[in-house]
Amino acid sequence: MIRFILLCAALCVGTSMLAAAQQTEGAARVDPVSSGIEQNWFGRSTLRLEMSRGVPFRVFTLDAPARLVLDFRGLTWEGVAPQDILGDVTGFDGVRFGAIQPGWSRLVADMTRPMLPDQVEMAVDPQTGRAVLQLELTSVEAADFARQSGAPQDASWPEMQRLNQGAPPVSDDRFVVVIDPGHGGIDPGAEREGLSEKVLMLDVALGLRDILDGVDDVDVVLTRESDIFVSLQSRVALAHRVGADLFVSLHADALSQGGARGATIYTLSQEASDTASAHLAARHNRADILAGADLSGSDDEVTRVLLDLARRETEPRSRSLAQAFARSMAAAGGPMNSRPLREAGFSVLKSADIPSVLIEIGFLSSKRDLENLRDPLWRQGMTEAMALAILNWRELDLTQRSLARQ
């Protein structure tokens, strides 16, 4: 009941300010100097966000792990660092914020102990329009936190609206390629020396689409076309909705285990081919948790069935697709990993009926790969090689399936 009241209060306050907010050009901004988390002697924590103007917002908590989630409409976090919000307080061990969908942003704070908001207030200065959101949290028992936490019924809002209002399914006589630029929005992926995985992979995905769009009877769909967050589940759902013939997820991670370097292509397997691949898959699969998604409805039994189906129906075709990428990227100069073909349990590869691969174009944790990824000419070469691999695989796959039918 407490959670429901808080959600209604937040939404009502935000809705009352919508008209005024729409009259102001540009997104509202967070003041990093006047914002942060404070604590008192009674174990209460107060999150204070000072903004250039009031915006609609909502608040909820998620369990396993304990997280505080705030969604905002028309608010940018530009110029704000996590340490500006987190400071030296106890009770929290991480905070992230950024775009969650066009026009919407999210703050996710990881809590080291269960705390529930019991007071939420946004005060707006009638003269300047500046606003202060103040949210007070009180420590509670773990059982109480679990009982009162959970995403609202429209937790996928506004993401599912975007998916539902997108382009209709592509006709069966087209070859549909779904390109998945990893990470995005609140989830930046790996970051090194001013480079961000989410930005690099979107650049590569857009380039890949430009090349393939010039090929007759080929349609390209991107899981995201801008710096927004898309859940792992929604990436796969979009591929099914458009009738994808293959799914390619693009990444450039940072991984210390195994001295990862060079392009690596992954296919789905319940058991990882090595320890480094297992660590990498575990990190990728936590993306939804880090971005404040509620996974309480996930079904492990369904996941196992999907894995079994994927192995039986699409494993040979996915493996052939991975080999096509490895050949083409190596011919373009790579550099390739010493073992470019690997396996792991990546969530985005769990489509039972769509050949799927995840490509680490390089690793930002490798100095050599980082310099390559920084070079737009090198990225263009790899993009062209990947486009060629897709077209080569298409011809080979058609031939093999025709022979199998005979």
Side-chain angles (χ1 to χ4, degrees), residues 309-345:
L309 287 172
R311 279 196 296 271
R312 287 199 304 269
E313 302 295 332
T314 66
E315 183 181 273
R317 298 176 67 206
S318 294
R319 191 163 54 243
S320 174
L321 178 60
Q323 292 167 349
F325 276 112
R327 286 192 298 267
S328 186
M329 295 171 75
M336 306 299 293
N337 188 272
S338 58
R339 290 177 54 202
L341 299 176
R342 303 196 183 210
E343 300 175 341

Side-chain angles (χ1 to χ4, degrees), residues 72-387:
F72 301 90
R73 179 174 179 176
L75 181 69
T76 178
W77 298 86
E78 185 178 352
V80 185
Q83 195 58 29
D84 295 330
I85 304 298
L86 203 56
D88 298 321
V89 298
T90 60
F92 298 86
D93 61 2
V95 64
R96 297 165 300 284
F97 37 77
I100 189 74
Q101 286 297 313
W104 295 89
S105 67
R106 171 171 289 181
L107 178 148
V108 181
D110 302 320
M111 296 184 281
T112 59
R113 63 175 184 268
M115 293 182 286
L116 287 172
D118 60 5
Q119 293 186 41
V120 181
E121 178 184 10
M122 178 179 282
V124 181
D125 188 313
Q127 302 300 321
T128 65
R130 293 184 66 85
V132 176
L133 171 63
Q134 194 154 294
L135 185 152
E136 295 193 12
L137 299 110
T138 303
S139 297
V140 296
E141 296 295 327
D144 291 336
F145 182 86
R147 184 173 61 255
Q148 300 189 51
S149 294
Q153 290 183 351
D154 58 347
S156 56
W157 147 100
E159 179 173 350
M160 290 311 297
Q161 292 181 359
R162 180 181 67 85
L163 291 174
N164 292 334
Q165 295 172 5
V170 183
S171 60
D172 290 339
D173 59 348
R174 306 284 294 179
F175 180 67
V176 184
V177 180
V178 171
I179 306 298
D180 174 42
H183 309 282
I186 192 174
D187 174 21
E191 295 178 299
R192 289 291 188 281
E193 299 183 14
L195 294 182
S196 171
E197 181 180 6
K198 67 175 183 178
V199 175
L200 288 170
M201 293 306 98
L202 180 59
D203 177 77
V204 172
L206 292 171
L208 189 52
R209 181 179 66 179
D210 289 344
I211 296 173
L212 293 173
D213 274 346
V215 180
D216 290 339
D217 75 358
V218 174
D219 286 313
V220 181
V221 178
L222 268 59
T223 57
R224 65 179 181 94
E225 300 180 358
S226 59
D227 184 18
I228 59 173
F229 172 79
V230 182
S231 69
L232 300 176
Q233 180 182 10
S234 294
R235 295 171 192 257
V236 177
L238 178 62
H240 281 105
R241 182 171 180 270
V242 300
D245 291 292
L246 78 163
F247 179 93
V248 180
S249 190
L250 302 175
H251 291 265
D253 217 294
L255 190 63
S256 58
Q257 294 92 342
R261 57 187 293 186
T264 311
I265 301 95
Y266 291 88
T267 51
L268 178 68
S269 175
Q270 195 167 16
E271 297 293 333
S273 56
D274 54 88
T275 303
S277 297
H279 282 295
L280 189 64
R283 286 185 55 189
H284 280 236
N285 294 345
R286 291 187 70 242
D288 287 3
I289 292 178
L290 294 175
D294 183 11
L295 305 180
S296 59
S298 61
D299 188 331
D300 289 341
E301 183 61 32
V302 171
T303 299
R304 284 193 291 271
V305 171
L306 285 176
L307 285 168
D308 290 341
L309 287 172
R311 279 196 296 271
R312 287 199 304 269
E313 302 295 332
T314 66
E315 183 181 273
R317 298 176 67 206
S318 294
R319 191 163 54 243
S320 174
L321 178 60
Q323 292 167 349
F325 276 112
R327 286 192 298 267
S328 186
M329 295 171 75
M336 306 299 293
N337 188 272
S338 58
R339 290 177 54 202
L341 299 176
R342 303 196 183 210
E343 300 175 341
F346 292 97
S347 292
V348 292
L349 301 183
K350 292 181 180 179
S351 294
D353 54 349
I354 304 173
S356 306
V357 297
L358 184 146
I359 302 177
E360 293 284 354
I361 301 176
F363 290 86
L364 291 179
S365 48
S366 161
K367 183 177 181 180
R368 180 197 66 185
D369 289 0
L370 186 147
E371 292 305 314
N372 283 335
L373 288 160
R374 194 191 302 275
D375 182 357
L377 292 178
W378 183 88
R379 295 201 305 272
Q380 177 64 21
M382 286 300 101
T383 301
E384 293 172 355
M386 288 188 289

